[in-house]
DNA sequence: CGGATCACG
DNA sequence: GACGTACGTGATCCGA
């Protein structure tokens, strides 16, 4: 035969990845993170590609994937596949990678809306068979066995790559007891619990095979039932006839689908190596990469195999170091976006989003404050450039502006609602906490969610310098996609000319809003795969991702403040400030602005001639607290007055005035905004207003805390971790003496004093306390000397003593600096990374600063991980205990504040204490107990 | 808009 | 030989 026998391989990609996930161990990587299924899939394609030159190997090859969850079978039987559990959490992110892998092999990847993979496979197989080709279906799905057999010399068979087994007629007969053409009849009788095909109750594979083999067809078997002897089986066949007939339709493969891509385009000769190498490299599949034509791996390439390590080899300050090879996506095309203006179009988008199981969502609003923001539109993205904007709140904010054609808001939201709440549809956001809160104002719950901002933080904390700590969308788009996104300023203007988003014309608004969703989805695909490879999955999935809705809820709860009390304090402080200002001017002999450190410095040191004025690099005298305290000690009455004035000014402007303005007019409560990505160590930060720095250290300041109150009849409860950072230091540095002290519940600073000085006095305990903190922050003899007001030599002796008494500490510091120097990042006990790009800087100050931060980050970060885990578990635990009325309001790094009915206090205390104390478990078993102090009262101050 | 100052853990 | 001294935040004010 002169013409070569064509042989089409059809790979059932979707079913393969499920089996690979369950059968293969997770890919060995430092974190044991899940890229196992993708790896299995990649090796499978590899094996197939290896057979390209074999006698019976593929001449044509395509991968078929399930795209939609909805098919004609659902129209026949709505419950079809309704029992399918959601894919496991750590499998989900691997789905998009399957497409990447397929593209990396330069193979066609076929998926079609409304068609299941099986139907596409059947249609392609038959089409090829009609042309006289051989066909091999790479799958082990029993439904597909119906297709096996030969027509006019053209053979269809199956290949189970996992078992390396060819499946042809004898194998089918062995499994089902019938020829392939009758497999559908057997399946119709036995049903399938996974796909929710009813079959006939009480009829399993054995009975089904026997019946079909005996009677030759389903119809014949059912027809024979009336003549059967009286039995359970007879009854069931008679009763279940309808079910069986419907099942027969469900298991029938649709063999006449339109083929999205012609057979000829599936021809393959040779796999191009370049894209494949890029893919293998990107995902760290090193053994395959090496096999890819040995000698092909250039030195450069070899160095990039471990992205995390490679980054630290070169210039540590290079933020571009984490740049990944760009995934193959079309360039952003704003012209491709749709403005959704009819319900029909909206319904279509929602249906497609549900089918895709993954959709990026972005809300456009009238305000940056999610507690006051009105929704003006929502954008969705389902794929690259496949994005839309749904406006419903545009125009009409002033009399001049006309309302454009747009949907009714409540109708639009009602249509979006089921998709947003659908547990099988993942919603991807950039800073989802904001959108969650906005949508909550319209009673919309959203779950499950992913957040590209948080993913970026878990990958790259410490690497970025820009706004949003380097995790803002514009920056991520630039860095990862090489694309400059439209900015809010470009669309809405800036300063006085700024217009609300609702006044932006729809075509422009669509470009901006849909682009944001498009970018978000692209970023998600880009970064989610890095998460597993670089070991960020653990902290993202177990800590930060579940925390998002929890923190969102805390923000919505807010806390009540006593406006009258704050107003009283403001007035009181104002009087006192005025009085002090007069005295200060008197003492200075002239009027000046007390709030200007520049003027004050000149008064103190030039005019009044006080000594020890030190100018900083700005050429200005320093007048900070320590300087003024020294002057006061030297007998300068003006210094004390300025100190008092400063304290009162601070309290008034930052707290008593500002907090009154922060009261939300709708809820009459103060709602802070927590940043999940604000602190490089993994801590939260709080803004607008900052409720993590409310005064507590002075009596005057504590009056402000008194203004934080519960609703009438309720109680505030404050629970804080006692000495958590020192406990973690004791554990992490493995210091027996300190661990022992914590185990016995001793005062840790007293114990330190005993160890270092032999005795505990007020003085030695205070010194020990200072040293303990100095350790946590990365000590230097000059720093300690300054704090303790001793000579650097003496401070050095104390440090030496400390290291001698607690040798683990010195080892911990050395080891931490060594690994951070090697890898470029530090790690918490829960795997959170913080990057230190300047740790190798030639600038000594810069380098030493990084070193101190690197010593502190694992401790501060682990503490943050622990309280975050407690927060994630807290409300479910309280609910389980029947305490659904307890509300979690605030987090202040090592403290949680709750509000609850007075009657719940005792039971809630127990639950809160337990959840916090056990928050590290089971992931980490600490050598020290975590002690919790709990207080209650009718103000935040009283609860301490 | 950066620096200085000071509130918190 | 100079550097510049405790980690992590955010808000306010001043003054260029």
């Amino acid at each position: 035969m002169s013409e070569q026998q064509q042989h089409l391989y059809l790979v059932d990609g979707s079913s393969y990845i499920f089996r690979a996930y369950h059968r293969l161990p997770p890919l060995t990587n430092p974190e044991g993170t899940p890229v196992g299924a993708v790896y299995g899939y990649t090796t499978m394609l590899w094996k197939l590609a290896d057979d390209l030159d074999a006698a019976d190997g593929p001449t044509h090859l395509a991968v078929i994937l399930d795209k939609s969850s909805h098919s004609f079978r659902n129209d026949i039987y709505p419950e079809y596949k309704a029992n399918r559990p959601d894919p496991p959490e750590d499998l989900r992110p691997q789905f998009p990678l399957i497409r990447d892998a397929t593209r990396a092999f330069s193979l066609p990847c076929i998926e079609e809306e409304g068609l299941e993979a099986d139907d596409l496979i059947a249609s392609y197989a038959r089409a090829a068979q009609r042309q006289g080709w051989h066909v091999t279906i790479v799958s082990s799905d029993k439904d597909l066995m119906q297709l096996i057999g030969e027509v006019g010399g053209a053979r269809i068979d199956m290949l189970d790559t996992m078992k390396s087994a060819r499946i042809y007629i004898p194998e089918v007969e062995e499994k089902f007891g019938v020829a392939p053409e009758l497999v559908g009849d057997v399946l119709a009788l036995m049903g399938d619990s996974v796909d929710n095909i009813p079959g006939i109750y009480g009829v399993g594979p054995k009975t089904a095979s026997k019946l079909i083999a005996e009677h030759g067809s389903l119809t014949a078997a059912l027809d024979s039932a009336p003549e059967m002897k009286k039995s359970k089986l007879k009854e069931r066949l008679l009763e279940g006839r309808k079910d069986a007939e419907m099942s027969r339709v469900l298991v029938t493969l649709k063999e006449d689908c339109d083929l999205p891509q012609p057979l000829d385009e599936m021809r393959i000769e040779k796999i191009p190596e370049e894209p494949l190498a890029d893919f293998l490299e990107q995902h760290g599949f090193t053994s395959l990469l090496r096999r890819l034509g040995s000698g092909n791996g250039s030195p450069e390439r070899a160095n990039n195999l471990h992205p995390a390590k490679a980054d630290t080899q070169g210039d540590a300050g290079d933020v571009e170091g984490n740049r990944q090879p760009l995934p193959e996506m079309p360039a952003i095309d704003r012209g491709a976006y749709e403005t959704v203006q009819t319900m029909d179009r909206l319904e279509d988008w929602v249906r497609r989003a549900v089918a895709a199981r993954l959709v990026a969502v972005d809300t456009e609003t009238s305000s940056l404050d999610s507690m006051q923001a009105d929704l003006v539109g929502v954008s969705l993205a389902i794929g690259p450039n496949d994005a839309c904007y749904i406006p419903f709140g545009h125009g009409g904010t002033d009399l001049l502006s006309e309302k454009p054609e747009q949907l009714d808001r409540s109708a639009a939201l009602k249509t979006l609602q089921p998709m947003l709440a659908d547990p099988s549809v993942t919603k991807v956001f950039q800073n989802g906490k904001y959108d969650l809160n906005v949508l909550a104002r319209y009673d919309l719950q959203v779950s499950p969610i992913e957040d590209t901002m948080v993913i970026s933080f878990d990958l790259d904390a410490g690497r970025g310098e820009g706004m949003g700590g380097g995790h803002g969308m514009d920056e991520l788009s630039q860095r990862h996609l090489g694309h400059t996104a439209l900015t809010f300023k470009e669309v809405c203007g800036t300063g006085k000319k700024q217009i609300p988003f609702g006044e932006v014309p729809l075509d422009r608004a669509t470009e901006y809003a849909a682009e944001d969703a498009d970018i978000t989805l692209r970023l998600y695909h880009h970064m989610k795969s890095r998460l597993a490879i670089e070991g960020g999955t653990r902290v993202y999935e177990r800590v930060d991702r579940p925390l998002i809705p929890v923190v969102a809820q805390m923000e919505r709860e807010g806390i009540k403040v006593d406006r009258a009390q704050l107003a009283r304090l403001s007035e009181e402080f104002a009087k006192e400030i005025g009085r002090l200002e007069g005295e200060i001017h008197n003492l200075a002999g002239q009027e000046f602005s007390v709030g200007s450190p520049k003027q004050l410095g000149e008064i103190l040191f030039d005019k009044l001639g006080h000594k020890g004025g030190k100018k900083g690099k700005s050429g200005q005298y320093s007048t900070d607290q320590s300087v003024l305290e020294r002057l006061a000690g030297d007998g300068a009455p003006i210094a004390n007055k300025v100190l008092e004035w400063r304290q009162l000014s601070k309290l008034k402007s930052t707290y008593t005035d500002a907090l009154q303005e922060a009261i939300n007019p709708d809820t009459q409560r103060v709602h802070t905004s927590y940043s999940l990505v604000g602190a490089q160590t993994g801590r939260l930060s709080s803004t607008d207003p900052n409720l993590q720095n409310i005064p507590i250290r002075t009596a005057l300041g504590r009056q402000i805390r008194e203004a934080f109150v519960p609703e009438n009849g309720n109680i505030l409860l404050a629970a804080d971790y006692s000495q958590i950072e020192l406990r973690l230091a004791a554990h992490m540095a493995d210091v027996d003496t300190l661990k022992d002290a914590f185990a016995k519940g001793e005062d840790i600073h007293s114990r330190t004093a005993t160890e270092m000085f032999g005795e505990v006095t007020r003085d030695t305990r205070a010194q020990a306390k200072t040293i303990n903190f100095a350790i946590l922050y990365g000590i230097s003899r000059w720093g300690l000397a300054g704090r303790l007001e001793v000579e650097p030599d003496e401070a050095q002796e104390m440090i030496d003593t400390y290291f001698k008494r607690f040798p683990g500490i010195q080892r911990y510091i050395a080891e931490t600096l060594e690994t951070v120097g090697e890898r470029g990042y530090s790690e918490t006990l829960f795997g959170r990374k913080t990057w230190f790009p300047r740790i190798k800087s030639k600038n000594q100050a810069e380098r030493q600063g990084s070193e101190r931060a690197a010593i502190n980050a694992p401790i501060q970060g682990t503490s943050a991980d622990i309280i975050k885990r407690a927060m994630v578990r807290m409300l479910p635990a309280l609910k389980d205990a029947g305490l659904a009325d307890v509300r979690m309001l605030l987090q202040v790094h090592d403290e949680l504040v709750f509000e609850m009915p007075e009657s719940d206090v005792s039971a809630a205390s127990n639950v809160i204490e337990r959840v916090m104390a056990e928050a590290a478990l089971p992931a980490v078993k600490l050598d020290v107990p975590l002690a919790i102090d709990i207080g209650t009262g009718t103000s935040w101050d009283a609860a301490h």
Side-chain angles (χ1 to χ4, degrees):
Chain A
M1 207 173 7
S2 61
E3 201 181 324
Q4 194 204 346
Q5 174 64 49
Q6 306 293 325
H7 195 157
L8 170 67
Y9 276 56
L10 293 165
V11 179
D12 183 3
S14 303
S15 83
Y16 190 92
I17 190 176
F18 273 95
R19 292 181 64 219
Y21 173 78
H22 287 109
R23 298 179 54 150
L24 294 172
L27 177 66
T28 44
N29 101 4
E31 303 293 329
T33 41
V35 284
V38 177
Y39 184 73
Y41 179 80
T42 306
T43 55
M44 184 267 290
L45 288 185
W46 190 285
K47 267 189 227 160
L48 294 178
D50 264 353
D51 284 339
L52 275 179
D53 300 320
D56 200 27
T59 57
H60 295 69
L61 202 157
V63 172
I64 317 289
L65 294 174
D66 267 320
K67 182 158 192 187
S68 85
S69 58
H70 186 103
S71 73
F72 70 95
R73 292 184 179 82
N74 294 95
D75 300 331
I76 299 168
Y77 184 53
E79 273 73 44
Y80 175 65
K81 290 196 173 175
N83 285 354
R84 280 262 163 109
D86 282 339
E89 209 54 49
D90 51 342
L91 175 56
R92 235 175 233 240
Q94 303 191 52
F95 290 127
L97 298 180
I98 295 301
R99 293 180 182 85
D100 291 355
T102 311
R103 274 195 293 271
F105 279 88
S106 305
L107 295 172
C109 189
I110 294 168
E111 44 191 328
E112 190 72 1
E113 197 65 47
L115 290 178
E116 294 189 63
D118 286 357
D119 301 311
L120 276 169
I121 291 171
S123 300
Y124 271 109
R126 290 301 185 206
Q129 193 177 39
R130 280 196 296 274
Q131 297 190 24
W133 297 9
H134 288 331
V135 177
T136 294
I137 298 167
V138 182
S139 176
S140 58
D141 190 335
K142 54 185 174 358
D143 295 6
L144 290 168
M145 292 181 184
Q146 303 174 62
L147 297 168
I148 288 174
E150 187 181 313
V151 174
R155 206 179 63 224
I156 299 179
D157 65 3
M158 287 176 69
L159 176 65
D160 184 345
T161 48
M162 249 176 229
K163 293 180 186 157
S164 294
R166 286 267 166 185
I167 303 165
Y168 196 52
I169 299 172
E171 285 79 10
V172 176
E173 285 177 339
E174 211 208 316
K175 187 176 169 72
F176 285 104
V178 298
E181 313 78 82
L182 291 176
V183 164
D185 289 5
V186 176
L187 293 171
L189 273 181
M190 61 189 265
D192 186 326
S193 60
V194 178
D195 289 350
N196 212 23
I197 291 171
I200 288 190
Y201 180 77
V203 175
K206 289 277 165 354
T207 315
S209 299
K210 199 167 135 255
L211 284 169
I212 299 300
E214 256 175 43
H215 298 94
S217 78
L218 175 68
T219 320
L222 292 170
D223 286 345
S224 75
E227 275 87 62
M228 287 170 75
K229 279 190 293 182
K230 197 167 183 299
S231 68
K232 265 271 152 61
L233 179 62
K234 179 182 178 181
E235 272 175 46
R236 284 170 174 163
L237 287 176
L238 289 171
E239 274 175 31
R241 184 173 188 120
K242 279 245 157 62
D243 282 346
E245 282 165 352
M246 186 187 68
S247 300
R248 187 64 186 85
V249 180
L250 291 176
V251 301
T252 301
L253 298 172
K254 188 168 157 50
E255 299 183 359
D256 59 358
C257 304
D258 289 338
L259 305 184
Q261 207 172 325
L263 284 168
D264 290 327
E265 289 182 11
M266 296 172 180
R267 173 155 207 100
I268 47 161
E269 318 258 353
K270 194 174 180 306
I271 306 291
E273 292 197 342
E274 196 54 38
L276 181 55
D278 283 347
F279 174 83
L280 298 173
E281 178 182 320
Q282 183 186 354
H283 295 284
F285 296 160
T286 55
S287 60
L288 291 178
L289 187 58
R290 245 174 275 127
R291 276 161 58 187
L292 188 69
S294 37
N296 190 28
S298 67
E300 256 179 0
R301 175 153 281 148
N303 266 339
N304 281 329
L305 284 179
H306 304 288
K309 273 197 169 172
D311 283 351
T312 65
Q313 306 287 317
D315 181 359
D318 182 6
V319 191
E320 294 297 305
N322 60 9
R323 180 76 171 265
Q324 294 282 311
L326 293 181
E328 285 180 40
M329 286 189 198
I332 286 196
D333 174 13
R334 290 180 196 128
Y337 302 143
E338 176 181 341
T339 311
V340 174
Q341 288 167 302
T342 65
M343 289 303 283
D344 275 358
R345 292 304 305 142
L346 177 59
E347 280 159 16
D348 187 56
W349 276 96
V350 168
R351 207 181 58 247
R352 291 178 56 225
V354 169
R357 305 265 149 168
L358 186 74
V359 56
V361 183
D362 189 27
T363 60
E364 302 303 334
T365 65
S366 61
S367 161
L368 274 175
D369 176 359
S370 66
M371 288 299 300
Q372 309 213 31
D374 293 324
L375 211 39
V376 303
V378 172
S379 55
L380 305 177
I382 298 175
N385 293 331
D386 188 5
C388 69
Y389 179 55
I390 307 150
F392 42 69
H394 280 252
T397 52
D398 60 61
L399 293 173
L400 295 174
S401 88
E402 278 183 34
K403 292 193 183 184
E405 180 195 341
Q406 60 189 322
L407 294 177
D408 172 65
R409 189 184 69 201
S410 62
L413 293 181
K414 203 172 164 189
T415 303
L416 287 165
Q417 185 271 330
M419 180 270 281
L420 294 175
D422 190 332
S424 70
V425 181
T426 302
K427 276 69 66 172
V428 186
F429 295 91
Q430 163 74 10
N431 188 14
K433 180 171 64 62
Y434 175 85
D435 304 84
L436 254 48
N437 280 340
V438 171
L439 292 166
R441 297 189 66 213
Y442 299 85
D443 289 322
L444 292 171
Q445 268 87 57
V446 187
S447 169
I449 69 157
E450 295 265 9
D451 193 321
T452 47
M453 186 177 77
V454 175
I455 293 174
S456 170
F457 180 68
D458 288 344
L459 288 169
D460 293 328
R463 276 178 161 174
E465 309 258 294
M467 53 167 283
H471 311 289
M473 173 147 62
D474 296 349
E475 217 169 329
L476 293 178
S477 175
Q478 195 61 251
R479 186 152 85 229
H480 297 300
L481 308 175
H483 171 77
T484 308
L486 273 180
T487 64
F488 186 81
K489 278 181 189 169
E490 285 173 79
V491 176
C492 293
T494 171
K496 277 183 187 166
K497 285 189 216 145
Q498 189 173 331
I499 55 169
F501 195 80
E503 291 300 321
V504 175
L506 291 195
D507 54 349
R508 190 70 171 155
T510 297
E511 286 186 337
Y512 173 82
E515 182 188 54
D516 275 6
D518 188 6
I519 290 172
T520 301
L521 191 62
R522 289 168 190 249
L523 286 173
Y524 173 73
H525 287 307
H526 187 267
M527 292 191 295
K528 188 71 192 254
S529 56
R530 276 184 61 206
L531 214 42
I533 295 159
E534 297 176 27
T537 304
R538 195 159 50 127
V539 75
Y540 176 66
E541 294 292 345
R542 305 288 280 274
V543 184
D544 285 346
R545 185 180 172 201
L547 187 68
I548 297 166
V550 175
V551 172
Q553 165 132 31
M554 291 169 74
E555 293 182 2
R556 294 201 299 276
E557 298 284 7
I559 186 165
K560 185 178 176 184
V561 298
D562 183 342
R563 188 197 295 269
Q565 159 87 348
L566 291 174
R568 227 174 9 253
L569 287 171
S570 278
E571 206 176 320
E572 213 176 280
F573 292 165
K575 272 188 207 154
E576 190 66 8
I577 288 166
R579 193 182 59 76
L580 285 163
E581 208 158 283
E583 291 185 31
I584 292 165
H585 290 166
N586 269 340
L587 289 164
Q590 68 171 91
E591 293 200 352
F592 69 100
S593 173
V594 184
S596 163
K598 184 168 179 283
Q599 294 180 31
L600 178 66
E602 283 157 13
I603 296 280
L604 289 174
F605 298 108
D606 292 340
K607 177 150 193 224
L608 300 180
H610 289 294
K611 294 194 179 134
K614 274 197 196 125
K615 289 186 181 176
K617 60 181 161 197
S618 61
Q620 225 182 89
Y621 290 114
S622 170
T623 66
D624 70 14
Q625 204 163 351
S626 64
V627 172
L628 293 177
E629 276 166 359
R630 184 176 54 75
L631 289 181
D634 293 347
I638 191 173
N640 266 329
K641 300 290 177 199
V642 172
L643 282 168
E644 275 186 69
W645 183 94
R646 281 212 182 138
Q647 186 187 18
L648 289 165
S649 297
K650 178 86 176 180
L651 295 178
K652 181 170 184 291
S653 66
T654 309
Y655 300 105
T656 58
D657 289 350
L659 281 172
Q660 294 182 65
E661 286 169 35
I663 296 172
N664 182 298
D666 298 326
T667 65
Q668 290 296 314
R669 291 165 78 92
V670 173
H671 305 265
T672 184
S673 172
Y674 288 104
S675 171
L676 301 174
V677 302
Q680 318 290 17
T681 54
R683 274 189 176 181
L684 303 185
S685 72
S686 160
T687 60
D688 308 306
N690 182 356
L691 295 186
Q692 290 183 321
N693 70 348
I694 302 302
I696 191 171
R697 292 171 185 171
T698 66
L700 208 56
R702 272 202 299 275
Q703 291 182 276
I704 292 159
R705 264 182 197 240
E706 289 173 11
F708 287 77
V709 293
E711 300 288 346
N712 285 337
N714 281 355
I715 289 288
L716 288 184
L717 181 152
D720 65 83
Y721 284 104
S722 161
Q723 307 284 12
I724 186 169
E725 292 195 3
L726 278 171
R727 287 170 196 264
L728 292 174
H731 170 90
M732 292 164 81
D734 196 22
V735 186
D736 286 332
T737 327
L738 294 175
K739 289 196 292 191
D740 178 67
F742 282 124
K744 290 179 178 154
E746 291 177 24
D747 177 296
I748 197 63
H749 302 308
S750 299
R751 176 66 177 261
T752 306
T754 309
E755 295 291 333
M756 290 192 59
F757 307 113
E759 59 166 354
V760 187
T761 65
R762 239 175 68 174
D763 225 39
T764 58
R765 185 182 179 281
Q767 285 196 324
K769 186 176 176 180
T770 301
I771 297 167
N772 274 331
F773 280 107
I775 296 298
L776 298 181
Y777 299 147
I779 199 166
S780 82
R781 62 161 117 170
W782 296 277
L784 184 62
R787 299 275 160 157
L788 289 177
E789 295 183 312
V790 298
E791 291 304 308
D793 283 356
E794 200 181 330
Q796 184 62 54
E797 277 176 39
M798 289 189 191
I799 294 168
D800 292 343
T801 309
Y802 194 94
F803 284 159
K804 213 171 282 170
R805 305 302 298 179
F806 309 118
I809 295 284
Q810 193 166 26
R811 196 178 53 238
Y812 165 82
I813 291 172
E815 284 174 3
T816 302
L817 289 179
E818 193 182 319
T819 54
V820 174
E822 266 170 33
R823 302 181 191 168
Y825 60 86
S826 69
E827 238 176 334
T828 68
L829 292 183
F830 298 88
R832 178 186 306 282
K833 290 179 181 177
T834 302
W835 291 86
F836 295 92
R838 305 192 189 295
I839 196 91
K840 296 275 180 207
S841 169
K842 292 190 180 82
N843 177 329
Q844 190 184 219
E846 214 169 51
R847 186 178 67 249
Q848 288 179 339
S850 287
E851 287 176 352
R852 289 192 298 270
I855 291 164
N856 180 249
I859 298 168
Q860 189 181 112
T862 300
S863 164
D865 292 341
I866 288 174
I867 195 166
K868 283 175 163 182
R869 289 166 63 93
M871 291 162 71
V872 166
R873 295 175 188 179
M874 191 60 76
L875 293 183
L878 287 163
K879 206 175 165 202
D880 281 353
L883 296 162
D885 291 336
V886 179
R887 296 190 282 171
M888 182 158 63
L889 310 185
L890 302 177
Q891 189 252 41
V892 193
H893 309 310
D894 64 358
E895 174 186 5
L896 293 172
V897 179
F898 301 84
E899 178 171 356
M900 66 192 69
E902 190 156 12
S903 54
D904 282 348
V905 165
S906 147
S909 297
N910 288 329
V911 175
I912 290 165
E913 202 267 346
R914 195 188 73 238
V915 169
M916 289 176 75
E918 293 175 355
L921 297 171
V924 172
K925 170 90 182 76
L926 295 173
D927 297 340
V928 289
L930 292 180
I932 320 297
D933 293 329
I934 290 185
T936 58
T938 51
S939 78
W940 192 5
D941 183 55
H944 269 276

